[in-house]
Amino acid sequence: MKIKLILVALNLLFTFASCSDRRTVIGVSQCSNDTWRQKVNREIKIGQYKYKNVDVSFCSADNNAKRQVQQIDSLVESNVDLLIVAPSDASTVAPAVERAYKKGIPVILFDRKIDSDSYTAYVGADNVEIGRVMARFIAEKLHGKGRVLEIAGLEGSTPVEERHKGFVEVMKRYPNIVTTTVNGDWNVDGARKIMSRCLANDPNILHMARCWCPLLCAY
């Protein structure tokens, strides 16, 4: 659904760009280079191929917020016409996005937000509701009693904070379900090590993987 939304936005931009003779440059700043984001980049490239005067420049911060700040500043210095950003960190990346926005470059935040309102548009899901949905699912499967290990993504990422908020909101209604939260940094290998360590310390713990758990998907 999110990919479809950003494709609609990009198609509109590509259409407007095609009405001009000058080349339009779009900068895409991804927080990581996992399989899912590679797919998003491929979808953007497909949209680009439909127009002869549109160029797209991609970069990935590999979950390093400071590196993403440098990459965004570099894209701005190269005079991109539009900036698409999936922020690695809500606070660290915010100043770079603000600089781009104040320079007059339209900024679309994709999938994640920043600690600022200096951007043009946000394309993403209702992450708080995602947390609620998964909490209700887990509570139903456990019949209101049990132990849950939540393996979250990178600390400081807004999807992590918002999904956790929705999850906790619903779990408060189930006092007989004990929850523990650890960070997996959106990394599959790291999440597996965390899970193995938790099982070794407490083999009775019940792991109910949520949809943002990197054991199931590299977000």
Side-chain angles (χ1 to χ4, degrees):
M1 181 62 180
K2 287 184 289 186
I3 291 177
K4 290 181 179 179
L5 286 172
I6 198 169
L7 283 177
V8 169
L10 285 171
N11 280 329
L12 288 173
L13 175 74
F14 291 151
T15 300
F16 292 139
S18 66
C19 297
S20 172
D21 292 332
R22 66 178 292 273
R23 300 200 68 79
T24 297
V25 181
I26 301 172
V28 180
S29 173
Q30 294 281 21
C31 55
S32 63
N33 192 38
D34 54 65
T35 303
W36 185 78
R37 296 200 182 275
Q38 289 175 13
K39 183 179 188 301
V40 172
N41 290 344
R42 286 196 298 271
E43 297 283 356
I44 293 173
K45 291 292 290 184
I46 290 172
Q48 176 200 357
Y49 292 148
K50 297 168 63 178
Y51 305 95
K52 295 180 180 180
N53 61 333
V54 175
D55 297 319
V56 182
S57 178
F58 296 92
C59 58
S60 170
D62 296 321
N63 291 320
N64 185 320
K66 292 182 179 180
R67 180 182 302 160
Q68 188 168 30
V69 168
Q70 295 173 347
Q71 292 173 342
I72 292 173
D73 286 340
S74 178
L75 288 170
V76 171
E77 289 173 5
S78 68
N79 294 317
V80 294
D81 297 288
L82 172 75
L83 189 61
I84 299 173
V85 182
S88 176
D89 180 279
S91 58
T92 307
V93 179
V97 172
E98 289 178 334
R99 285 192 290 272
Y101 182 75
K102 290 176 181 178
K103 192 175 179 180
I105 299 174
V107 180
I108 297 177
L109 297 184
F110 174 52
D111 178 56
R112 302 180 179 193
K113 301 172 185 175
I114 58 172
D115 292 337
S116 170
D117 58 1
S118 294
Y119 59 89
T120 308
Y122 167 71
V123 179
D126 184 344
N127 287 303
V128 176
E129 181 59 22
I130 288 175
R132 296 188 189 110
V133 169
M134 294 311 300
R136 289 192 288 266
F137 171 80
I138 290 172
E140 178 183 346
K141 294 300 179 182
L142 293 179
H143 304 291
K145 183 177 181 181
R147 304 179 66 185
V148 177
L149 173 64
E150 172 194 5
I151 301 182
L154 187 66
E155 187 175 2
S157 167
T158 54
V160 171
E161 297 171 351
E162 293 173 352
R163 294 171 189 177
H164 177 71
K165 178 181 178 180
F167 180 76
V168 171
E169 177 186 312
V170 172
M171 278 301 174
K172 287 181 179 179
R173 306 171 193 168
Y174 300 93
N176 293 323
I177 296 180
V178 179
T179 63
T180 302
T181 302
V182 294
N183 288 322
D185 295 341
W186 303 128
N187 183 281
V188 175
D189 292 335
R192 285 175 177 154
K193 290 178 181 178
I194 291 171
M195 192 65 229
S196 297
R197 197 160 53 240
C198 290
L199 287 172
N201 293 334
D202 186 358
N204 295 318
I205 193 167
L206 175 62
H207 173 229
M208 294 294 290
R210 304 200 332 229
C211 69
W212 57 93
C213 170
L215 284 173
L216 294 184
C217 65
Y219 195 93

